[in-house]
Amino acid sequence: MKLLHLGPFKRSFSLEKKRLISCWHFNAGCKTAMSNVIMAVVVMFTFLFLAPLFYYTPLVVLSAIIVSAMLGLVDYDAAVHLWNVDKFDFPVCMVAYVGVVFSSVEVGLVVAVVISVLRLLLFVARPKTSLLGNFPNSTIYRNVEQYLNTNNVHGVLVLKIDAPIYFANSSYLRERIIRWIDDEEDKLKSTGKTSLHYVILDMAAVGNIDTSGISMLEEVKQTTDRREIKVFFPMANPGAEVMNKLNKSKFLEKIGQEWVYLTVGEAVEACNYKLHTCKPAESQPWNNV
């Protein structure tokens, strides 16, 4: 069972070893496949006639030779590069190295792959959501944490979801969206400005959505409706596959086809227009987009 389980890894290592040998042949100046025959003859001659000469060599000397050869295989610059670029890739590299040195190639490879898969699952289950702000005198909206010169649109909350919406992250996204709404309401109440009226979801990065994700959007809509706050969900720039699923699930009929826009700027402009026309007495100075 152990050999059957580790068979693919051993075959992969064997292919990688053959590729390295081919690279060595090319770097040595070999141009034809005859170099493999010559190498096999030289190795056979070494094992038959030269290997006995090293029989009485002390193990300490052999160990020193192996250690010196291993030190030349360690790429310190690559490890430093991993540390500078991604602090997570460096521990994965070190775990794989320790597993190969103290156990075997299979163990090091399996441990590194498992850690990488766990990292991928973590990113899928905890996708990034960001608050978008408007660049002055433009219709461009970007992350307020990355671009500090952006302005928030009062009464309108613009959120961006940077991952597909699946069953694995639907609950997390629902909590995050509700938390963003709560924080924005508390901020507006503390400043004495107009309350929150609209929520815009920028779904340009949402490449797919399943039934759990659609149910999550419906739950968020129901939660905001129970608060007796006029909150809508204009979805800026959704993908074609996402639109088809939302249409088949009748979700677009619940929020209205008129609340789907191509860009965030158009969605904010529509929200501002409704705020000005429906509640002119309560309106505050708005950004022109």
Side-chain angles (χ1 to χ4, degrees):
M1 292 297 293
K2 181 177 180 182
L3 293 178
L4 180 63
H5 178 68
L6 297 178
F9 298 104
K10 290 186 176 181
R11 289 194 296 270
S12 177
F13 177 72
S14 178
L15 292 175
E16 182 67 16
K17 182 169 63 175
K18 291 180 180 179
R19 187 184 67 83
L20 292 176
I21 293 175
S22 300
C23 293
W24 292 338
H25 287 183
F26 177 79
N27 294 330
C30 301
K31 297 182 179 181
T32 63
M34 190 63 186
S35 61
N36 296 323
V37 178
I38 297 176
M39 182 194 68
V41 172
V42 172
V43 171
M44 181 181 66
F45 179 81
T46 302
F47 286 161
L48 292 178
F49 301 102
L50 299 181
L53 299 178
F54 299 95
Y55 179 79
Y56 297 100
T57 303
L59 295 179
V60 177
V61 176
L62 294 177
S63 301
I65 296 174
I66 295 175
V67 170
S68 62
M70 286 293 298
L71 292 177
L73 297 177
V74 178
D75 192 349
Y76 299 99
D77 295 335
V80 174
H81 177 72
L82 289 177
W83 175 260
N84 294 330
V85 175
D86 193 339
K87 295 299 188 294
F88 188 88
D89 285 342
F90 179 78
V92 174
C93 174
M94 296 306 300
V95 169
Y97 173 77
V98 172
V100 171
V101 172
F102 292 97
S103 182
S104 62
V105 176
E106 292 83 0
V107 173
L109 181 62
V110 169
V111 173
V113 170
V114 169
I115 296 177
S116 300
V117 171
L118 292 178
R119 181 192 186 188
L120 178 62
L121 294 176
L122 179 62
F123 285 164
V124 173
R126 295 292 186 270
K128 184 179 179 181
T129 58
S130 56
L131 176 64
L132 302 185
N134 172 242
F135 278 106
N137 302 322
S138 69
T139 59
I140 301 175
Y141 289 81
R142 293 294 184 267
N143 190 350
V144 297
E145 296 181 357
Q146 183 178 0
Y147 299 92
L148 302 179
N149 58 335
T150 56
N151 299 325
N152 294 330
V153 183
H154 301 301
V156 180
L157 181 63
V158 185
L159 299 176
K160 183 178 181 180
I161 302 175
D162 292 330
I165 305 177
Y166 297 118
F167 68 95
N169 58 20
S170 58
S171 299
Y172 173 79
L173 287 176
R174 181 182 64 252
E175 296 176 357
R176 286 294 300 164
I177 294 174
I178 297 300
R179 192 181 307 169
W180 278 114
I181 295 175
D182 293 338
D183 295 342
E184 186 68 16
E185 287 183 341
D186 295 339
K187 185 188 302 182
L188 292 175
K189 290 180 181 179
S190 62
T191 56
K193 298 179 180 179
T194 181
S195 59
L196 181 63
H197 293 281
Y198 298 95
V199 174
I200 299 175
L201 294 181
D202 185 2
M203 301 181 66
V206 179
N208 200 351
I209 188 172
D210 61 359
T211 54
S212 299
I214 298 174
S215 301
M216 180 271 295
L217 295 178
E218 294 177 351
E219 292 175 3
V220 172
K221 181 69 167 58
Q222 294 174 0
T223 302
T224 54
D225 290 341
R226 285 195 298 266
R227 298 184 181 184
E228 298 181 356
I229 301 175
K230 189 177 181 181
V231 178
F232 296 90
F233 291 87
M235 291 170 293
N237 195 21
E241 187 174 356
V242 176
M243 286 293 298
N244 291 333
K245 291 186 178 181
L246 294 178
N247 188 29
K248 292 179 180 179
S249 64
K250 308 298 181 182
F251 180 77
L252 295 180
E253 296 181 2
K254 296 179 182 179
I255 65 173
Q257 294 281 352
E258 65 276 9
W259 292 104
V260 179
Y261 300 91
L262 294 178
T263 62
V264 176
E266 293 179 357
V268 174
E269 184 178 359
C271 294
N272 283 337
Y273 175 78
K274 283 188 170 293
L275 287 174
H276 280 295
T277 55
C278 297
K279 297 183 179 181
E282 301 177 7
S283 63
Q284 300 288 337
W286 305 98
N287 292 338
N288 294 325
V289 294

